[in-house]
Amino acid sequence: MILSEKKFNEILNLFIILIASTLFFRVFCTSIMIIFVLFCTLFYKKLYFTKKTSILVLCIASPFLLELLFFWNNDSLIAGLKSAEKTVSLLLLPICIIGNKDRINFQMVLRTYVYVSVLLVLFLFIRFMVISPKFFDVYLKGMELWEVGYEFANSFGMHGPALNMHLAFITCCSFWFVFEALKNKKAVFLNIFFVLLSFFFVLFVNTRLALLNVILGVVVIFIYDIMKRYNIQKVILLFITCAFISAGIMYFYIQKNPYMKEKYAVVTLAHIDKIGDLDSLENPEAKVSNSLVTRLSIWKSALELSKKHLLFGVGSSNGKQVLFDYYEKTNQKFLFKYRYPVHNQYLDFTIKFGILGLLVSFLYMFTLGYLGFTTKNSIIIIFFLIFFLTNFVDDFLIRFDGIVFSGLWSSLFVCYWNKFTDSDK
């Protein structure tokens, strides 16, 4: 097949946009990725790597390489292959994207991703109102507010915290594009609309860390972009304006959603003195299912278990079951009954692969940090903070929506980093 360079670049960027924007739909997104990899394989002669980009490809692929290195430690061949298959995209995506690094239009991909994703979530939100009218009516009356975000995410096959991780990043990108629009004096109100809409979805799904990530993202944009562009008086005025608008939105939303106040002020820190002793509570399902104490109890068990297998871990495919068995062995009936996974990527890798798993998890995260802080690009720094912090309370390197999300954007950030470092020479 013969394609002009221009046509090849257009198809390449279109594939990347489609993968990024359809992560909400695992099967569809996987199909696009397969076609994308086949497309890049067909034009493999176009791939080019430098020594530095090759090292970064290996850093991004490190979770997959870890699976291969410890493959022998799985009790089941099939389960081991299935576990490794989950992370193979962390090798394929960097090869296909970073190998074509000079052909990637980073800003165009980012902008289109934001617009398409927000409109897609808006469509899914309207769909949710149509297919779940009874549940939505109950929500509008201020009842059963705790589960609305999860119900919305489940309505199209997503996990609530995973969806809100994506939405937090999209909201921060939208906010960044507002100031790009002000700078160019183009489409300012359109970008403000996308900020407000994406921020509403973050509040609607309503996970605590996502809201914190949005706040941190806005602060990063002020530090890395706005303070460099405006004098201190304008920066202060912009900051106060943004804070006032955000506080107004939050106040209005909390008034309509009283459970949010209870969730953040009371539920989160409830029974914090019962770490590792949840069964002493009467009806723990009702009292601590959504509390920090449950996560801390899980992590306590995970840490104890990981210390027992610190050298080689228990094997990738065995990690969950070994943890569940440890709940039973230590007589933690509540945790065993609901089979809570570790909900911490760093501990998850430590249980599975031992001390090397912990080191690789930090290598993967800090590769993102290196790309962000060396380029001083606020979007990359925000992504690093979101993914780094989110994986303290969840384990997204065992989930499709976390693996592909991080692998895709890490690869795109390397492309940006490569152009940035070349321009410095």
Side-chain angles (χ1 to χ4, degrees):
M1 182 185 295
I2 299 175
L3 281 178
S4 67
E5 188 69 13
K6 180 181 178 182
K7 182 61 68 175
F8 178 84
N9 294 351
E10 288 174 352
I11 295 173
L12 182 76
N13 283 275
L14 177 60
F15 267 122
I16 292 170
I17 291 168
L18 286 173
I19 294 170
S21 305
T22 60
L23 273 168
F24 306 127
F25 312 106
R26 177 174 181 169
V27 175
F28 185 66
C29 185
T30 301
S31 301
I32 296 173
M33 277 201 299
I34 292 171
I35 298 170
F36 173 59
V37 171
L38 291 175
F39 173 76
C40 292
T41 303
L42 189 62
F43 293 96
Y44 71 94
K45 291 184 179 180
K46 291 181 178 288
L47 299 174
Y48 173 72
F49 304 91
T50 64
K51 183 178 179 179
K52 289 183 177 179
T53 56
S54 297
I55 292 172
L56 290 169
V57 167
L58 293 177
C59 288
I60 297 170
S62 57
F64 173 68
L65 300 177
L66 193 66
E67 291 274 1
L68 297 183
L69 181 64
F70 284 91
F71 189 79
W72 58 271
N73 205 17
N74 292 294
D75 290 342
S76 164
L77 173 65
I78 299 300
L81 288 172
K82 186 177 179 180
S83 182
E85 178 269 333
K86 287 182 179 180
T87 55
V88 70
S89 57
L90 293 178
L91 176 65
L92 299 177
L93 286 173
I95 289 174
C96 294
I97 294 173
I98 297 172
N100 289 295
K101 56 189 175 299
D102 296 326
R103 299 180 175 91
I104 304 299
N105 188 335
F106 178 77
Q107 185 141 328
M108 184 274 290
V109 168
L110 182 65
R111 186 185 296 274
T112 309
Y113 156 74
V114 168
Y115 290 171
V116 172
S117 297
V118 173
L119 292 176
L120 184 58
V121 176
L122 176 60
F123 167 77
L124 292 170
F125 180 75
I126 295 170
R127 170 183 171 273
F128 180 64
M129 290 191 290
V130 173
I131 66 173
S132 304
K134 292 182 180 179
F135 181 85
F136 207 77
D137 287 343
V138 169
Y139 171 73
L140 291 176
K141 292 174 183 176
M143 301 166 61
E144 305 294 335
L145 299 172
W146 64 272
E147 62 178 327
V148 65
Y150 285 84
E151 287 291 331
F152 172 54
N154 286 337
S155 70
F156 54 94
M158 277 284 283
H159 179 50
L163 174 61
N164 232 14
M165 176 179 66
H166 292 257
L167 291 172
F169 180 60
I170 290 168
T171 301
C172 293
C173 292
S174 301
F175 185 73
W176 186 80
F177 278 122
V178 167
F179 290 96
E180 285 296 298
L182 287 170
K183 175 180 157 183
N184 300 318
K185 298 180 180 179
K186 291 182 180 179
V188 175
F189 290 105
L190 177 64
N191 285 282
I192 291 174
F193 168 76
F194 277 98
V195 171
L196 295 175
L197 193 56
S198 56
F199 186 51
F200 164 75
F201 291 136
V202 169
L203 294 175
F204 183 75
V205 178
N206 195 10
T207 54
R208 287 155 288 204
L209 191 55
L211 183 58
L212 173 63
N213 284 331
V214 170
I215 294 170
L216 287 175
V218 170
V219 171
V220 168
I221 291 170
F222 267 93
I223 293 172
Y224 280 87
D225 292 292
I226 297 172
M227 288 181 69
K228 295 177 182 178
R229 190 174 298 170
Y230 302 101
N231 60 45
I232 190 64
Q233 290 86 358
K234 286 187 177 180
V235 170
I236 293 172
L237 180 61
L238 284 169
F239 188 83
I240 292 173
T241 302
C242 291
F244 180 78
I245 293 172
S246 300
I249 294 172
M250 288 287 293
Y251 177 79
F252 175 79
Y253 194 83
I254 290 172
Q255 292 301 110
K256 297 294 181 181
N257 187 343
Y259 178 72
M260 189 172 177
K261 186 190 299 182
E262 181 186 350
K263 177 179 178 179
Y264 283 67
V266 179
V267 173
T268 299
L269 298 177
H271 305 287
I272 203 70
D273 59 320
K274 299 296 183 181
I275 297 172
D277 190 28
L278 300 179
D279 294 310
S280 65
L281 294 167
E282 184 178 351
N283 191 14
E285 289 88 346
K287 293 180 178 179
V288 296
S289 290
N290 201 24
S291 297
L292 179 61
V293 66
T294 300
R295 292 286 173 93
L296 292 174
S297 297
I298 295 167
W299 298 342
K300 181 176 181 292
S301 294
L303 187 59
E304 292 169 356
L305 180 61
S306 63
K307 286 179 180 178
K308 296 176 182 292
H309 303 274
L310 198 56
L311 194 57
F312 298 116
V314 301
S316 180
S317 64
N318 310 327
K320 279 188 177 181
Q321 188 57 51
V322 171
L323 180 61
F324 301 155
D325 292 342
Y326 188 77
Y327 294 153
E328 186 177 28
K329 181 181 177 182
T330 54
N331 200 31
Q332 297 185 80
K333 297 177 182 178
F334 173 65
L335 296 182
F336 178 70
K337 178 181 178 181
Y338 292 97
R339 294 179 174 264
Y340 281 103
V342 68
H343 283 300
N344 182 300
Q345 188 59 65
Y346 311 102
L347 284 174
D348 178 79
F349 266 29
T350 308
I351 291 173
K352 291 176 178 176
F353 307 112
I355 187 65
L356 189 57
L358 179 64
L359 295 175
V360 166
S361 64
F362 279 112
L363 170 68
Y364 187 82
M365 301 299 169
F366 284 112
T367 298
L368 284 164
Y370 167 77
L371 296 172
F373 289 110
T374 53
T375 59
K376 298 180 181 179
N377 182 289
S378 56
I379 295 299
I380 304 177
I381 294 171
I382 289 167
F383 189 97
F384 160 66
L385 290 174
I386 287 175
F387 203 66
F388 177 68
L389 293 174
T390 303
N391 275 286
F392 273 104
V393 296
D394 225 315
D395 31 24
F396 284 111
L397 286 179
I398 64 170
R399 295 181 54 85
F400 173 84
D401 40 39
I403 292 168
V404 178
F405 180 60
S406 60
L408 177 76
W409 284 106
S410 297
S411 303
L412 290 170
F413 296 151
V414 171
C415 298
Y416 178 89
W417 172 88
N418 184 71
K419 288 183 180 179
F420 179 86
T421 52
D422 283 350
S423 65
D424 282 351
K425 293 177 181 178

